[in-house]
Amino acid sequence: MHASSAGRVLAAALLMIVACATSAIVSALLIRGANAYTDGHRRVTAQVVRVLRPPVAAARSAPLPAAVVEVVWTGRDGRTHTGRTVAASGHRAGDRLTLWVDAGEEPAPGPSPTAMVVVVAVIAGPAAAGGLWTAGLLVRSGRRAWTARRAVARWEGEWRTITARGR
């Protein structure tokens, strides 16, 4: 095996190790965050008070057209709370829907879906390895440019010395 081939195989193996380790770490952190989500949030059944006209920002792509609804629910303290959330546009006043609220009894987005956790963890590894590979290429290119600049400067110095003697 040629030395440069061995170096490439070693670099590829190290990048694979970085990719796998990064994916494992990101996955563990995301799973820990998803498991801890219920510590500060809870699901409640709320009743739709009224359906508001969907603003432009809420008209994002969704499986169903979305609408902003005003909802009411009973908090842990037994008091009635109201808030606004984005829901499927098929809801009408009086309908019940399940939503997540935070510790301050404000509507909150739900926990990350399992598919999202998997996709982010899978993408994180190759992204880290690609970033490391790119950084290595930049260092290598910079080193070559620095070496070439030094060689040219040395050559120009020698040329000036030779031409000065020749006069």
Side-chain angles (χ1 to χ4, degrees):
M1 190 184 293
H2 194 265
S4 65
S5 296
R8 287 184 180 144
V9 169
L10 179 61
L14 289 174
L15 288 174
M16 287 298 293
I17 291 169
V18 166
C20 291
T22 302
S23 287
I25 291 168
V26 168
S27 175
L29 291 172
L30 290 172
I31 289 170
R32 175 191 275 172
N35 289 340
Y37 190 83
T38 56
D39 293 343
H41 297 81
R42 67 186 183 97
R43 290 181 76 150
V44 297
T45 301
Q47 183 174 1
V48 176
V49 176
R50 65 184 171 141
V51 178
L52 306 169
R53 198 176 94 204
V56 175
R60 64 193 190 291
S61 61
L64 295 172
V68 176
V69 294
E70 188 172 336
V71 292
V72 62
W73 68 94
T74 303
R76 284 192 173 155
D77 55 3
R79 293 187 350 209
T80 301
H81 295 274
T82 60
R84 292 181 179 176
T85 189
V86 177
S89 64
H91 289 289
R92 300 176 196 267
D95 288 352
R96 295 200 176 275
L97 62 92
T98 303
L99 66 114
W100 286 90
V101 294
D102 60 17
E105 294 294 333
E106 293 292 325
S112 298
T114 305
M116 180 64 75
V117 171
V118 170
V119 167
V120 169
V122 167
I123 290 175
L132 186 61
W133 180 71
T134 303
L137 284 179
L138 289 173
V139 167
R140 186 175 175 188
S141 296
R143 189 189 73 209
R144 284 183 177 173
W146 182 71
T147 303
R149 183 178 172 113
R150 284 184 54 213
V152 167
R154 194 175 322 126
W155 180 81
E156 286 177 349
E158 290 175 7
W159 184 252
R160 277 192 296 268
T161 302
I162 291 170
T163 56
R165 284 187 211 158
R167 288 187 187 171

